[in-house]
Amino acid sequence: MASGISAGLAYAAAPSATITIEVTEQENAVAQFHAGIQAEISDMFFLRAGYATNPDLLCFGLGYTYKPFTLDLALTTNNPLGISGFLTVAYIFN
């Protein structure tokens, strides 16, 4: 099992927009850089976009929150596979 370390920052660029960056380095691997932005469209809808290196990936997504549930739909590019989709449904316990 490889060990690694990550460090990141988040910046609230506006009351409805957040920018994030992260660098991850794992043992015996090239460092990865991740960057993303999230824009709040309304109290319940979010748009997201991201980029990662090694391998190069572009991601786009939409989030919906209706407490205590969240629903996330994302599309990402993947060099060998083309475009991949993801769906996440979560229940948040309080």
Side-chain angles (χ1 to χ4, degrees):
M1 180 189 309
S3 61
I5 187 167
S6 295
L9 296 171
Y11 173 66
S16 61
T18 304
I19 298 170
T20 61
I21 59 169
E22 177 187 54
V23 176
T24 301
E25 185 155 358
Q26 290 187 337
E27 185 178 3
N28 301 324
V30 177
Q32 292 181 313
F33 173 77
H34 307 114
I37 186 166
Q38 173 177 286
E40 183 178 334
I41 303 302
S42 71
D43 288 340
M44 296 188 298
F45 288 100
F46 302 88
L47 284 176
R48 299 181 182 108
Y51 173 75
T53 61
N54 300 323
D56 289 336
L57 299 172
L58 288 174
C59 305
F60 302 96
L62 174 67
Y64 174 75
T65 299
Y66 186 76
K67 293 187 180 181
F69 293 98
T70 63
L71 176 69
D72 291 300
L73 177 62
L75 296 174
T76 185
T77 58
N78 185 313
N79 289 337
L81 299 177
I83 296 175
S84 300
F86 300 91
L87 175 66
T88 304
V89 178
Y91 180 85
I92 300 171
F93 294 95
N94 288 327

